[in-house]
Amino acid sequence: MDTYDILLYGSYLLIIVGAAVGILMPLIKSLDNPKSLLKTVVGIVGIAVLFFIAYSMSSNEVLPKFEAEPFNLTPGLSQTVGGVLITTYILAILALVGIVVTEFNKAIK
């Protein structure tokens, strides 16, 4: 095994450990205050509802050049990708509007 392989596997391990700690520690900490879990659940449900609205709005049309190799795109996958893109656009616009509103509030006060 080459040094690069060892370092690559080590980085994979560190990413997995970091992701696990980043997910589990806030959950363990929030068990002290169950009301904070309710806010998290409401946020996750809100994003899921937004995704399903975007998924229902997106098209499942696939161009013939994307049906063949190397893409192998199906109508269902096309609609899922469209739903994710629309969700991303909506969340980005909401973030920008939130930033602008916050800055105006700071300027007024």
Side-chain angles (χ1 to χ4, degrees), residues 5-76:
D5 291 335
I6 293 170
L7 293 175
L8 190 61
Y9 290 132
S11 66
Y12 290 158
L13 177 68
L14 289 175
I15 289 171
I16 291 170
V17 168
V21 169
I23 292 170
L24 292 177
M25 290 304 289
L27 288 175
I28 292 171
K29 183 66 179 165
S30 66
L31 291 177
D32 296 341
N33 186 7
K35 289 184 180 180
S36 67
L37 281 176
L38 182 63
K39 292 179 184 178
T40 304
V41 169
V42 167
I44 291 171
V45 168
I47 290 174
V49 167
L50 179 65
F51 169 73
F52 285 118
I53 291 171
Y55 179 81
S56 65
M57 287 173 31
S58 63
S59 171
N60 62 356
E61 180 182 349
V62 179
L63 295 175
K65 68 179 182 179
F66 294 119
E67 289 178 337
E69 291 288 332
F71 302 110
N72 295 330
L73 193 60
T74 63

Side-chain angles (χ1 to χ4, degrees), residues 88-104:
T88 303
Y89 298 151
I90 292 171
L91 290 175
I93 290 169
L94 286 175
L96 289 173
V97 168
I99 291 169
V100 169
V101 167
T102 302
E103 291 301 320
F104 277 133

